[in-house]
Amino acid sequence: MVPKLRIAVVGGGIGGLAAALALTRKGHEVRVYEQAPVLREAGVGMHLGPNGSRLLERWGLGERLRALGVRPAGMEVRDWSHGGTLVRQPMGEEWLAEFGAPYYTIHRADLHTMLAESLPGGTVRAGRRLERFTETEGGVRLEFADGSTAGADVLIGADGAHSVVRRTLAGPDTAVFSGQSAFRGVVARDQVPGLPGDTLLVWAGPDARMLVYPVRGGRFLTFVAVVPDPRWRLESWSAPGDLDDLAARFDGWNTDVKSLVAAVRESRRWALYDREPLARWSEGAVTLLGDAAHPMLPHHGQGVSQAVEDAAVLAHCLDAPTGTGPAAPSAPATRRAIAAALDAYEGVRRPHTTQVQLGSRGGGSQRLRPDEDGAESTGTMSSLVEDVSWIQRHDAEAHLPPLPPLPATT
């Protein structure tokens, strides 16, 4: 039997771990190199659309998703000033029937831990910050900041929007600033008893937007407050958000929002950037995945689900047995087969993620602003779900390319 591939994944975030799990399930030898000294995920809650959850369920994670995630019963758009419900969209079982898989809200750390614990022991190597890589006759050589090195048949850059792998492949790029930033945090629901623990809530004001949704069984609520501010340009998930500034942004809003803001004890603030879509993700035996390939604004809630889709398609395309052991094809044939597999992966994923990435730019708070006469535009608000239904319905494994033919063994 021809051995499977040695695959290096740079980046131990959710995208990198999803790739490692998908590839491990195909029998490859996978190593994940994470620059942090300890593998852990920061952040708050996140959305996992049906397009992402259907793949994780196929990977055997359905039971854990049901235990750790929340399936919101509905989504409500509420008036920013008096707090009344303008639009309610049932979710739960209706979305399951509509999209064929559940919609979850889940804490990032819970999903990250779930993926990490699903990998074989020793898969993740922490404290390894990639400095450079080179492609050689024998594969790809990785060099880390601590002086260590590693070799692989394939290198996957899953190292985020500031990706070293992306910069090496595509050169430096310019971050595109949206003019907005987001305050993010988690509040215990018993601190805001007036808010439900099973509903995704949106308040859209004239110059800000507040999104709140449950995590960890509804015991906590994640909030994301999107505000315009051309001066705040720090693209960091860990930068502290000033609580006085947050309170001032929502002064004059309804009682529920002000009670939520008053209950916040810690917040992070993140300037919202993306990048222009790349014309190319792959070169030789190196490719990109997740935010390294297609960093996008968060307004469609698709960052994680798109990375999971990437992982599923990449694992399929690398499933042709093109390893490098004694019975394997010649090294040139193997390299050609790997390059063809990565081209196939990119050919499927890049057009789709480009559409999602560019569409996310139109999904910000400006879409939910009041009409010119001051009345809330309920027609625009009710289109919030329909705008992204094609993304939620997408099944990445229903659009897989045929595997390339096996290379000659001589």
Side-chain angles (χ1 to χ4, degrees):
M1 179 179 292
V2 178
K4 291 290 189 176
L5 299 169
R6 299 172 302 142
I7 300 178
V9 178
V10 175
I14 289 175
L17 296 185
L21 179 56
L23 291 161
T24 297
R25 285 170 53 81
K26 296 291 187 180
H28 299 295
E29 178 186 295
V30 183
R31 293 290 179 267
V32 177
Y33 299 101
E34 166 57 39
Q35 67 176 350
V38 178
L39 182 69
R40 63 186 177 198
E41 180 65 274
V44 289
M46 45 152 280
H47 303 264
L48 182 66
N51 54 308
S53 72
R54 77 173 87 253
L55 300 173
L56 295 181
E57 286 188 338
R58 289 171 190 166
W59 297 351
L61 297 177
E63 184 176 348
R64 295 201 66 188
L65 279 174
R66 290 187 289 274
L68 296 173
V70 175
R71 289 176 53 194
M75 179 181 70
E76 294 183 6
V77 179
R78 296 184 175 185
D79 181 82
W80 70 277
S81 56
H82 61 69
T85 298
L86 303 171
V87 177
R88 179 174 173 83
Q89 170 75 53
M91 295 177 70
E93 291 300 314
E94 291 198 18
W95 274 34
L96 177 61
E98 176 70 19
F99 300 115
Y103 186 106
Y104 288 104
T105 52
I106 187 169
H107 200 286
R108 293 187 69 91
D110 292 341
L111 180 57
H112 187 264
T113 299
M114 183 191 314
L115 292 168
E117 291 178 348
S118 300
L119 294 172
T123 298
V124 179
R125 309 295 170 89
R128 300 285 185 89
R129 179 169 61 84
L130 182 69
E131 288 201 332
R132 66 186 63 85
F133 63 88
T134 53
E135 197 163 355
T136 69
E137 289 293 318
V140 185
R141 175 183 168 86
L142 292 76
E143 300 178 43
F144 301 99
D146 63 0
S148 63
T149 62
D153 299 313
V154 182
L155 169 60
I156 300 167
D159 45 343
H162 301 285
S163 169
V164 172
V165 181
R166 174 189 173 109
R167 188 166 61 248
T168 303
L169 287 182
D173 58 15
T174 301
V176 180
F177 181 45
S178 68
Q180 299 175 320
S181 60
F183 291 87
R184 301 176 303 121
V186 176
V187 172
R189 195 170 73 85
D190 61 12
Q191 298 298 305
V192 280
L195 296 181
D198 64 350
T199 305
L200 195 158
L201 302 171
V202 183
W203 293 269
D207 58 359
R209 176 180 177 179
M210 177 68 82
L211 172 67
V212 174
Y213 53 88
V215 294
R216 293 182 167 167
R219 300 187 307 278
F220 294 88
L221 299 175
T222 283
F223 71 88
V224 181
V226 179
V227 300
D229 192 338
R231 298 167 300 173
W232 183 275
R233 291 177 172 261
L234 185 57
E235 188 185 16
S236 169
W237 284 67
S238 59
D242 183 86
L243 298 186
D244 290 336
D245 188 5
L246 175 63
R249 300 276 182 167
F250 292 92
D251 185 37
W253 283 50
N254 66 79
T255 301
D256 284 337
V257 171
K258 290 200 294 185
S259 297
L260 174 75
V261 171
V264 175
R265 296 294 175 262
E266 182 180 29
S267 176
R268 295 288 182 262
R269 190 172 180 184
W270 171 33
L272 301 183
Y273 288 84
D274 66 359
R275 308 291 191 279
E276 295 298 340
L278 290 176
R280 186 88 172 131
W281 290 2
S282 308
E283 183 175 319
V286 183
T287 195
L288 303 171
L289 180 143
D291 284 348
H294 44 74
M296 59 185 65
L297 295 176
H299 304 311
H300 282 351
Q302 275 292 312
V304 165
S305 292
Q306 292 303 307
V308 172
E309 288 187 358
D310 289 350
V313 175
L314 178 60
H316 166 81
C317 292
L318 286 172
D319 198 27
T322 56
T324 56
S330 65
T334 296
R335 291 200 302 275
R336 288 195 300 270
I338 289 171
L342 298 184
D343 283 345
Y345 155 68
E346 179 181 333
V348 171
R349 291 301 298 157
R350 190 164 56 82
H352 184 79
T353 59
T354 295
Q355 190 175 359
V356 177
Q357 185 180 9
L358 295 179
S360 295
R361 291 180 174 177
S365 59
Q366 68 275 12
R367 289 180 56 259
L368 298 177
R369 64 182 183 275
D371 288 335
E372 292 181 2
D373 63 2
E376 291 82 359
S377 177
T378 56
T380 301
M381 291 177 180
S382 64
S383 72
L384 183 65
V385 176
E386 287 77 4
D387 283 348
V388 297
S389 62
W390 65 273
I391 306 174
Q392 313 275 16
R393 193 170 285 109
H394 184 71
D395 184 344
E397 292 185 331
H399 302 276
L400 295 174
L403 292 176
L406 299 181
T409 59
T410 58

